[in-house]
Amino acid sequence: MARECFICEKRKATGNNVSHSKRHTRRTFGANLHKMELEQNGTVRREYVCTRCQRTQKTMQA
């Protein structure tokens, strides 16, 4: 399974590298994910969470 944010489901995105001569080649943009301990229904789980969700305090660290 690909890594994605447990809360907002953000994952790898695709786009183009554009050189000075405007030549386009495909590339990927990885989401900024970190493993965190999340408490859910009294149990602690280690899940990937993006830094945007961490900053907006959608998570509560265990």
Side-chain angles (χ1 to χ4, degrees):
M1 187 173 106
R3 287 201 274 177
E4 67 179 33
C5 178
F6 180 71
I7 297 166
C8 67
E9 300 176 0
K10 187 181 290 185
R11 61 183 73 128
K12 192 178 292 190
T14 59
N16 289 308
N17 279 328
V18 182
S19 69
H20 182 68
S21 64
K22 304 297 189 273
R23 188 176 173 93
H24 289 62
T25 55
R26 299 300 284 178
R27 62 159 293 181
T28 57
F29 298 90
N32 192 3
L33 300 174
H34 295 272
K35 232 174 190 183
M36 287 185 65
E37 291 182 351
L38 302 174
E39 186 173 347
Q40 190 176 38
N41 298 331
T43 60
V44 176
R45 299 175 54 168
R46 289 181 58 85
E47 297 287 347
Y48 286 105
V49 178
C50 69
T51 53
R52 173 72 49 102
C53 291
Q54 286 179 352
R55 188 170 70 236
T56 57
Q57 298 178 354
K58 291 182 182 176
T59 61
M60 299 296 289
Q61 280 191 324

